[in-house]
Amino acid sequence: AGWSCGFVVGELPGKRDGFPWSAIPDPPSSPVAPAPSTQHSPSLRTSPAPSSEQQLQIPAVDPTTTTRFHPRPGLSIETRGPGGCGMAPYLATIPGSLEECSQACLSLSGCTKFQRDNAEAMCYLAGADSGSQPREPNGSAGWSCGFVVGVEGPSTSPTPYPTMEPWRGELPEKKAGFPWSTTSEHELNRWEQQPGYRQWNECLRAIRHRIVEVLADKLFDPFLRSQPVLLVDPAYHTNVGDNMLSYGEVMLLDKLGWKHSECFIHMSHPSLPEANYFGTVLPKHFGSSTKPCRARKGTPYFANAGARNGLALWHAGGNWGDLWGVNEQRIESFRGLLSKNMTVIGMPQSLHYVNAALKQQEANKLRQIVQSTIGLERGKRQVVLTWRQKDSYALALKLYPFVDNRLVPDIAFMMGQIAPSIQLSRVRQAPEPDPAKMRHWFPKLHKPRVDLLFMCRQDKESRIQWPPGGWPTRKTGLQQIIQRVCEGMSARHEIVGIACSKVTFNIADWGSREAVLDALSPDQAGKFSQGFQPIGQAGYVGPFNYNTRMAGAVELMEMGTVIICDRLHTSIFSLLSFKRHVFIDQMYQKLKRTREVAFEASGACQDEDALRYKQATGLEDAVAKALVQLAASKQEPE
């Protein structure tokens, strides 16, 4: 009593069930007017030039008045009386005036005509594969039709994408532009005074520019921009590196003014095992799932979706191959996307197969999907696979010559610079966290800061040779390595100002970030999350809480003066944070090769000392180089 309850009932109509990103209905065919009288039939069949009242010649777009389109030179639009023309399948469906739709058709390769619903101001662009009506224009009132006439000449456009003001991406004054920062003005001033700061800042700016530049022809395409982009399978699970990729994708779309929606296949699947380390304090710490990319298990992907002619971004990562078992689902999903005539961009990946037979088998399957849905010729225009390593790119050219392969820096760089945070370091004096909450063998992270923080993976990709035994034995063995290396370097005067017996360290991985926040009392954790407002955040409204995820990662990384890592995105997070780090590569040199592609964006990226990193060949080499970095940190201004 005293309460009321309401239930939402019903379904979205037809094929758009469960897909909020496909709210565009099927394009209609223009109604056909009654057949004209006999005396007009010959003129309609032979299509003589219409009267001056009927004819509309629309020249190529004037570049001084608009920059949305690059028309094909030598062509213009001719109208031949009232009525529509063409039938599905259309090349594109866009809103606009008659002139805007004419400019769009002149710009779109393969467009031969278009019809416009004058009441709805919607245009349907047709090409060689589109249908035709018995007579065109069909004489229907309320519809207009334009035909491309002329002989196409050589392109004069300097770029294959629209000329528009680029996103510059420079950092605004002081704190603006730094996601997830709770740093004081004094801290930022001190940070900006560090040697190499300007070079680091220019390097990251150039990498972001390179990403936008390489993908610009698709990201600025006015036809693709006519509806929201679909982000397929963003990562919501506990690996912060994959979360960085998803947020980089969100930042890219946000910076370029795209609206987007999401659906899951694997990486954001609700059945992924997630733990809630905050009980009732932060029940949404890990976020929740988005919509599925198919109605139910066993049904084709996107079968119920009504979207067509749009853009889909397939989530990035290091899992194109057979190491992690997700590639089969990804390749099969292309069938559904391409059957809806969507353009698909696979965001930057590393390509690595152990099984050579499976490698060729999956390449053949992708070829068959492209051929059976849009054809191999259109595959080069509508499927773009991007690679973040040169060896992956070279292999992709051989395996997938029927699509457009491109070399693109890792998308996590789109996150931009991350300022250091001191929020939790002021209050992190709580006792060790509950061991029952620890899913890893990592030690309990309760110290405010250590000299060396080993952020290392514990899976089949790692090639680090740890001291043998369990954690106590391993910790002792690592302490002995640090002591031995440090004393040898001190004796050779390779480092100064380091008391070798007092070098502190800890071992962690991304899963340890919960322990960092668990070290707070529930009241402190609640206040931290509720009061934590990121700066320079993308306009993201979705089911996943990126803020809390990145907050824990920032605080975890702040525990170490120097980071030693063998995870790619731990190294990139360190780089974005202007943090001293040493990386050891994994089984197929993913770290070195991915960073090399990104660093080719600018000469500012070529100085290891300015960017505060070194590469090591193994554990002892990493310790030695980290001690040099530690000594250098003691010379920095306070």
Side-chain angles (χ1 to χ4, degrees):
W3 288 79
S4 302
C5 182
F7 297 87
V8 177
V9 297
E11 297 179 335
L12 292 175
K15 63 188 178 182
R16 296 195 298 279
D17 289 352
F19 294 94
W21 45 272
S22 59
I24 298 178
D26 276 342
S29 296
S30 55
V32 178
S37 59
T38 306
Q39 63 265 30
H40 292 291
S41 295
S43 62
L44 284 170
R45 285 197 299 268
T46 56
S47 299
S51 67
S52 60
E53 293 182 354
Q54 296 175 321
Q55 188 172 16
L56 173 65
Q57 290 286 345
I58 300 180
V61 59
D62 182 354
T64 64
T65 60
T66 179
T67 58
R68 288 186 62 204
F69 305 101
H70 279 308
R72 292 169 287 167
L75 303 179
S76 62
I77 294 294
E78 178 182 277
T79 62
R80 300 168 184 170
C85 58
M87 297 178 66
Y90 296 102
L91 293 176
T93 303
I94 64 171
S97 66
L98 183 63
E99 181 173 356
E100 289 174 330
C101 295
S102 299
Q103 294 168 357
C105 188
L106 289 173
S107 304
L108 179 59
S109 176
C111 185
T112 58
K113 59 188 174 185
F114 70 91
Q115 64 174 348
R116 181 176 186 270
D117 184 339
N118 298 328
E120 300 292 333
M122 289 296 295
C123 296
Y124 306 95
L125 281 59
D129 295 332
S130 303
S132 297
Q133 300 185 32
R135 56 188 181 85
E136 297 179 339
N138 60 24
S140 174
W143 288 78
S144 303
C145 180
F147 297 87
V148 176
V149 296
V151 178
E152 184 173 356
S155 173
T156 59
S157 171
T159 59
Y161 48 90
T163 302
M164 59 189 299
E165 183 69 14
W167 170 59
R168 299 196 178 280
E170 287 86 355
L171 291 175
E173 292 296 320
K174 301 301 178 185
K175 293 176 71 173
F178 293 97
W180 310 294
S181 172
T182 54
T183 307
S184 66
E185 193 78 4
H186 169 74
E187 286 290 307
L188 281 175
N189 286 332
R190 184 182 67 82
W191 198 43
E192 293 175 6
Q193 294 170 9
Q194 302 302 327
Y197 172 83
R198 294 186 180 277
Q199 195 166 337
W200 163 80
N201 189 32
E202 170 58 25
C203 170
L204 297 185
R205 185 197 67 84
I207 294 172
R208 296 195 299 272
H209 274 243
R210 176 63 58 85
I211 294 171
V212 175
E213 178 184 38
V214 177
L215 297 175
D217 60 319
K218 302 300 182 187
L219 296 177
F220 294 135
D221 189 315
F223 316 108
L224 298 178
R225 292 179 74 97
S226 63
Q227 55 185 295
V229 67
L230 171 64
L231 180 55
V232 180
D233 210 31
Y236 292 172
H237 55 74
T238 56
N239 186 327
V240 176
D242 288 330
N243 304 150
M244 291 170 63
L245 293 171
S246 292
Y247 197 71
E249 291 157 351
V250 169
M251 287 288 285
L252 172 67
L253 296 174
D254 186 74
K255 290 292 185 182
L256 300 182
W258 277 88
K259 295 179 184 284
H260 89 279
S261 58
E262 303 174 357
C263 71
F264 73 79
I265 291 179
H266 176 79
M267 304 292 277
S268 44
H269 197 285
S271 67
L272 287 173
E274 302 289 14
N276 183 356
Y277 285 86
F278 294 97
T280 59
V281 179
L282 297 175
K284 294 188 180 299
H285 175 56
F286 288 102
S288 57
S289 177
T290 184
K291 299 291 184 181
C293 295
R294 58 182 175 182
R296 60 186 179 275
K297 187 175 181 180
T299 61
Y301 290 110
F302 310 104
N304 293 341
R308 61 178 66 216
N309 304 322
L311 177 65
L313 302 188
W314 232 108
H315 175 59
N319 51 28
W320 191 292
D322 56 4
L323 282 181
W324 298 108
V326 300
N327 211 43
E328 181 180 0
Q329 294 170 298
R330 176 181 16 242
I331 290 177
E332 181 57 36
S333 73
F334 275 65
R335 188 187 308 278
L337 291 168
L338 297 179
S339 68
K340 301 298 178 181
N341 199 33
M342 297 188 77
T343 295
V344 184
I345 299 179
M347 300 307 284
Q349 276 276 354
S350 294
L351 193 165
H352 182 79
Y353 281 90
V354 176
N355 187 326
L358 180 62
K359 175 174 64 178
Q360 190 58 54
Q361 177 183 327
E362 293 192 339
N364 294 340
K365 181 177 180 179
L366 182 58
R367 186 182 191 278
Q368 184 274 328
I369 289 173
V370 173
Q371 186 172 26
S372 63
T373 51
I374 60 174
L376 296 180
E377 182 178 351
R378 287 172 60 191
K380 282 280 192 178
R381 300 197 301 268
Q382 286 183 233
V383 181
V384 180
L385 300 182
T386 65
W387 311 97
R388 62 190 187 186
Q389 300 177 205
K390 288 184 178 179
D391 57 334
S392 296
Y393 172 66
L395 180 57
L397 290 175
K398 298 178 181 179
L399 290 174
Y400 320 117
F402 45 88
V403 302
D404 183 357
N405 292 282
R406 303 185 187 184
L407 194 62
V408 180
D410 188 89
I411 199 66
F413 283 102
M414 287 303 303
M415 286 176 50
Q417 292 86 334
I418 302 173
S421 176
I422 57 174
Q423 172 102 349
L424 291 186
S425 63
R426 293 172 174 169
V427 298
R428 189 165 53 238
Q429 304 298 330
E432 297 182 358
D434 183 355
K437 296 181 179 180
M438 299 299 293
R439 291 177 298 154
H440 305 280
W441 57 265
F442 307 120
K444 299 159 184 60
L445 303 172
H446 61 280
K447 296 181 179 180
R449 180 179 285 267
V450 294
D451 294 320
L452 310 180
L453 181 61
F454 293 80
M455 287 280 292
C456 300
R457 62 195 312 146
Q458 303 295 313
D459 57 30
K460 56 190 173 185
E461 288 193 32
S462 178
R463 287 296 177 265
I464 293 180
Q465 299 296 317
W466 293 99
W471 165 241
T473 305
R474 182 173 295 187
K475 181 179 180 181
T476 301
L478 188 54
Q479 178 69 65
Q480 293 171 350
I481 292 174
I482 295 172
Q483 182 87 5
R484 182 176 68 254
V485 171
C486 182
E487 290 175 351
M489 295 178 70
S490 295
R492 296 188 297 271
H493 305 290
E494 294 173 354
I495 53 174
V496 294
I498 300 291
C500 296
S501 62
K502 296 182 178 181
V503 174
T504 58
F505 74 97
N506 220 326
I507 304 176
D509 199 358
W510 287 129
S512 305
R513 72 189 182 285
E514 287 86 22
V516 175
L517 297 182
D518 270 348
L520 301 174
S521 68
D523 180 63
Q524 289 172 330
K527 288 180 179 178
F528 167 70
S529 177
Q530 294 165 12
F532 192 83
Q533 296 297 326
I535 299 169
Q537 182 185 19
Y540 171 81
V541 179
F544 186 70
N545 192 339
Y546 286 105
N547 294 346
T548 306
R549 180 58 51 84
M550 296 304 170
V554 168
E555 293 305 325
L556 174 60
M557 297 288 281
E558 278 301 295
M559 291 186 63
T561 302
V562 182
I563 305 297
I564 298 175
C565 60
D566 67 344
R567 280 194 182 275
L568 172 62
H569 288 100
T570 306
S571 80
I572 292 179
F573 201 103
S574 300
L575 187 66
L576 295 178
S577 305
F578 199 41
K579 195 168 189 65
R580 296 186 180 278
H581 62 288
V582 178
F583 71 87
I584 306 169
D585 226 327
Q586 49 78 269
M587 62 183 294
Y588 58 90
Q589 291 77 56
K590 178 168 64 178
L591 283 75
K592 175 185 177 182
R593 292 170 177 175
T594 298
R595 291 165 64 109
E596 281 178 347
V597 169
F599 289 170
E600 286 183 353
S602 171
C605 302
Q606 305 306 314
D607 188 341
E608 293 182 356
D609 294 329
L611 300 187
R612 299 179 159 196
Y613 81 90
K614 295 293 180 182
Q615 179 179 359
T617 57
L619 196 56
E620 292 201 14
D621 187 38
V623 168
K625 290 176 177 175
L627 290 172
V628 173
Q629 295 271 28
L630 181 63
S633 71
K634 297 182 179 298
Q635 308 302 317
E636 293 173 354
E638 294 294 333

